[in-house]
Amino acid sequence: MAKSIYLFLALTLLDFAPLCFSHNSYGGYLYPQFYDRSCPRAQEIVRSVVAKSVAKEARMAASLVRLHFHDCFVKGCDASILLDSTGSLVSEKRSNPNRNSARGFEVIDEIKSALEKECPQTVSCADIMALAARDSTVLVGGPSWVVPLGRRDSKGASLSGSNNNIPAPNNTFQTILTKFKLQGLDIVDLVALSGSHTIGNSRCASFRQRLYNQSGNSQPDFTLDQSYAAQLRARCPRSGGDQNLFFLDFVSPTKFDNSYFKNLLSFKGLLSSDQVLVTKNQASLELVKMYAESNELFFEQFAKSMVKMGNISPLTGSRGEIRKNCRRINA
């Protein structure tokens, strides 16, 4: 217990960094009031399209949060993930983490189209994604936060960055932590942001190795609860069924809460990258226990970590552009 309190105090001190502003080496700031004059209804428009989309399909909330995450880990939060392939550009949508998996692009298109009518070439696709991630979280019962704004959109994409930078379901704990640290995020951010797996789905192909051949020895993952594993095997066979979908949090799959962390403590994390938070590192285990015990603490840290992630290398000032269409760079 003493250790938990000590860790909590240490982490609290760690988190006194200011939230509302991001400074980068090019002298550009992100701040919440960025569109107050140029497009006062921007946030309201984003919120209403996201609300409509999530009401139509609950899974969309998780997809929009994930889209922001997969964007920010590649070249920073610059909407590079939204670009379609052209003659000279290879889309990040083709990468292993995104192919047949990243979704929500049509929702971003709809938001962009509404904003272009309201205030042409003013609101960036990168800011739309940051706002949509926050609004999605709130709509399914999660915390809210103030989103610093003023990002601009990239004029390029990075397929290799998308393949290499985004944590994979079968990565080791150390590899995942390293990928977070390369983005300026720490172990607290890693555990809190993993909590977004309280909503959404994963495909059979992403965790099959845990059921049948975790270490290349034809044995299942011994850190997976065996009755849960048996349920998963019923719909995720040794071969075939790659696209079959499973809830990341089977307890409350469409509600943003801390049951994800409770599942991990019962060895019922779906992905290997979830379960290693409990089995491979003492500090991350302590954090999982804290968040499993206190929904409030999890919400507070998730909000802080989302702001921090949204501040990864934004394009500001005259860098990048404001795309008219999120799928392609301006002519």
Side-chain angles (χ1 to χ4, degrees), residues 118-225:
E118 176 82 12
C119 29
Q121 270 192 280
T122 303
V123 182
S124 69
C125 303
D127 278 345
I128 290 171
M129 279 200 290
L131 289 167
R134 189 268 314 271
D135 295 342
S136 293
T137 302
V138 173
L139 280 163
V140 290
S144 187
W145 58 92
V146 175
V147 180
L149 299 163
R151 299 167 191 79
R152 287 166 65 85
D153 301 323
S154 70
K155 295 181 182 179
S158 174
L159 182 67
S160 62
S162 189
N163 275 322
N164 298 326
N165 298 3
I166 297 169
N170 56 354
N171 279 164
T172 64
F173 176 83
Q174 202 48 55
T175 298
I176 296 167
L177 183 59
T178 299
K179 287 179 177 182
F180 269 74
K181 285 183 171 172
L182 287 170
Q183 305 298 341
L185 302 172
D186 57 31
I187 194 166
V188 181
D189 302 310
L190 162 56
V191 179
L193 292 172
S194 295
S196 63
H197 284 179
T198 175
I199 52 172
N201 304 68
S202 184
R203 297 171 299 151
C204 164
S206 299
F207 60 87
R208 174 184 281 123
Q209 88 284 350
R210 296 191 74 199
L211 303 179
Y212 302 102
N213 189 24
Q214 174 68 357
S215 309
N217 58 359
S218 298
Q219 293 299 308
D221 183 349
F222 68 90
T223 67
L224 183 62
D225 175 86

Side-chain angles (χ1 to χ4, degrees), residues 15-90:
D15 284 322
F16 272 117
L19 284 183
C20 288
F21 300 93
S22 161
H23 182 62
N24 63 43
S25 55
Y26 290 83
Y29 284 90
L30 300 183
Y31 55 99
Q33 303 80 12
F34 191 83
Y35 297 111
D36 281 7
R37 289 187 175 171
S38 60
C39 194
R41 288 188 58 239
Q43 298 206 38
E44 184 192 322
I45 289 168
V46 175
R47 196 176 303 118
S48 92
V49 177
V50 172
K52 188 180 76 175
S53 304
V54 172
K56 197 162 123 190
E57 185 198 12
R59 183 186 172 204
M60 190 51 72
S63 299
L64 291 170
V65 173
R66 185 167 179 256
L67 210 50
H68 182 42
F69 174 75
H70 280 213
D71 181 51
C72 290
F73 267 58
V74 184
K75 297 167 67 274
C77 308
D78 62 359
S80 60
I81 193 173
L82 301 178
L83 291 167
D84 287 338
S85 291
T86 62
S88 56
L89 184 147
V90 183

